[in-house]
Amino acid sequence: ARARQGDLKQASPFLRADLAWRAQKRPEATTQADCPTALASGVDRMLGCTPAGLPVVLVKIGLWDPSQYDADEYDRFNVYIMENLCRRGERFILIFDMKGWKLSHALYMRYIARLMSTLQDHYPERLAHALVIRVPGIFAASWRIIKRFIDTATASKVEFIGASAEAERSAFEAVGAWGLIPESYGGPRGGAVPVPNIPGEPNVSSAPPL
């Protein structure tokens, strides 16, 4: 009901649909074996938790190659990530590094639509912030399409950050994530960040380093 502004009547059909989805998909049982190719790409990795206890995930679009797996594996991958985040905090933060967005990515809008459907229909109000950094100019046309998949509540949590190092640091500090940011992004965190870097889950040695 919280995700429907407290309107129980409006929330009821969404709750029934979510319960049916969970009974069919059993998202809590999703493992790395269900999404091996997407996971090993290194596109998502957890950076840790903020002092307030919010898990933070870096989504590195330059490593996203949806031609390597089908939409069903992409769904399972996103469910695997979200289920693990929700076990560690009521809400989470996503940092989208858009450097490396290509025109060919726009051919996979159905993947993005399914991601937004999963997030909004089955993990409503779990997203605390979505920071979008290092955005190339060619992304503007794609964003006009992606916005159609995003409801008002989710859109209000999306923030495009300026290109300067100062703007990025200010945004990271505002959400309490600065201490988690790797040196490669100008942050204070030294050392490599493995994939998926989720406590209790094995890391993928073949994933690209960060």
Side-chain angles (χ1 to χ4, degrees):
R2 182 180 58 180
R4 303 296 161 187
Q5 292 75 49
D7 188 331
L8 292 175
K9 184 176 181 180
Q10 185 183 17
S12 292
F14 291 95
L15 177 59
R16 288 194 297 270
D18 179 62
L19 291 173
W21 177 82
R22 290 182 177 276
Q24 179 187 11
K25 299 290 187 180
R26 298 188 64 237
E28 73 285 352
T30 306
T31 69
Q32 294 186 0
D34 295 310
C35 52
T37 306
L39 182 67
S41 72
V43 63
D44 286 10
R45 67 191 79 203
M46 185 173 168
L47 299 180
C49 292
T50 69
L54 278 65
V56 179
V57 168
L58 174 66
V59 183
K60 197 169 175 63
I61 292 298
L63 297 176
W64 187 47
D65 185 1
S67 69
Q68 298 300 305
Y69 41 85
D70 61 23
D72 288 336
E73 178 170 344
Y74 187 57
D75 274 348
R76 295 191 296 271
F77 171 60
N78 289 314
V79 166
Y80 167 77
I81 295 293
M82 290 184 204
E83 284 290 313
N84 275 282
L85 294 181
C86 291
R87 291 181 189 123
R88 285 155 183 84
E90 184 177 356
R91 298 191 300 161
F92 52 80
I93 297 169
L94 301 178
I95 300 173
F96 290 90
D97 175 4
M98 301 305 297
K99 183 178 180 180
W101 176 270
K102 302 182 293 245
L103 291 176
S104 60
H105 283 134
L107 299 175
Y108 293 90
M109 284 296 177
R110 68 188 186 282
Y111 283 49
I112 298 174
R114 289 176 69 162
L115 166 62
M116 297 313 305
S117 175
T118 298
L119 176 65
Q120 295 173 160
D121 295 344
H122 306 298
Y123 302 90
E125 297 300 318
R126 292 290 198 169
L127 179 65
H129 305 280
L131 305 181
V132 187
I133 66 173
R134 306 185 180 186
V135 183
I138 62 170
F139 181 67
S142 297
W143 176 241
R144 286 194 289 272
I145 298 172
I146 293 170
K147 282 196 298 185
R148 302 173 190 170
F149 310 143
I150 303 177
D151 63 29
T152 303
T154 302
S156 69
K157 299 168 186 177
V158 178
E159 183 179 359
F160 284 80
I161 309 304
S164 71
E166 292 78 12
E168 288 186 2
R169 176 168 181 167
S170 178
F172 297 148
E173 287 179 337
V175 300
W178 174 244
L180 305 174
I181 302 302
E183 288 179 339
S184 57
Y185 282 80
R189 175 180 181 161
V193 182
V195 173
N197 197 35
I198 295 172
E201 293 288 299
N203 289 320
V204 181
S205 60
S206 62
L210 179 62

